[in-house]
Amino acid sequence: MGLFKRKINSRISAPVTQPQSRRAFGILDGYVPLGAPQTKLYYALREAVPVIDAAIFKIVRLTGGFEVRCSDSAAQAELDSFVRNVPVGGNRQGLSAFVSSYFEQLLTCGTALGEIVTDSEGNPRALFNAPLDGIELKRSKNGFDIDIYIRNGAELGKAPRQEMCLLSVLNPEPGSLTGCSLLKGLPFVSSVLIRIFESIGANWERVGNLRFAVTYNPKNDTVDRAYAKDRAMQVAREWSEAMKSGSEIRDFVAVGDVQIKVIGADNQILDSEVPVRQILEQIVAKTGLPPFMLGLSWSSTERMSSQQADALTSELEAYRRILSPVIEKICTVFLRSSGFCCNAEVVWDDITLQDEVEQSKAMLYRAQAEKIMKGE
């Protein structure tokens, strides 16, 4: 099959794709604006900035659950069992688990790829979320469709059974085969945020682990000048012993003009609240979520307004329009392989973003207004 190699003595084939390796945060320094999509960069970005990772998962959860319905009651029973129990990736079950990982990959990389895994008889028995490493997309010979190619070392081969592959793109540029990640535009501001956090950590490490400057000033007489080096070495030894005592309290006694100062005590650590908030505002604006949903309490009276709820609902509805064809294709393939000719339809759960009390009040006010208009 496309992303799998079929085993002769097995009912379900196994994936041959390799797991993605973990990358360091230094990859953010090599970001080139307007460059080609870099999936490893976006995953490193999610790991480096927790608020971005939280936003991805929050959007996936806010998109909500769904049901798949068909007109045939007998087919509906088998379809419900398939939706609940279909294996996903060998370690999960349920179509919702596949859709969650598929949607998460779509938001992160701008392109999501999956496959319907079939048994030896060609019936769908599992689903697989394919990593994008080693995958290339090319325009087919008809100039319109897209073919999926798999790179195995230096070889690049077309994946067989393209009809079992699932492909979605997010906001593709004109003429481009791949989509644009939700995180596009964030590597630069995120790298600045990481530098601020690294400098804060380094400064607090210096403040928490104090360094001292011990200065011995000899007098102008001949004896002090002659033994200045020996006395300085003695002061250094005694100071080192006093600092090595750990939790034991020891006094340091010196004869002569000895001054002890904390290195860097006169310097103040820069206030990072304003620049960090400015950068976080850019990140939150890119996600489209209200700040308080990501744990950012910038205002004591902050709450979701009806305008914000409507805007976020429209964003979630747009994501649902991308995912619905994928879900319908999976369920339709299952129905056809089971001998049913009916079509599958995705019914999404209602998006509830406002307070239930406020919604109940609004319904009550509308009912009262309708009663008054009718003259009852």
Side-chain angles (χ1 to χ4, degrees), residues 21-38:
S21 60
R22 184 174 178 179
R23 308 295 293 180
F25 299 153
I27 194 174
L28 299 180
D29 297 333
Y31 168 69
V32 179
L34 301 180
Q38 304 181 41

Side-chain angles (χ1 to χ4, degrees), residues 21 49 164 218 352:
S21 60
V49 185
M164 291 299 175
T352 304

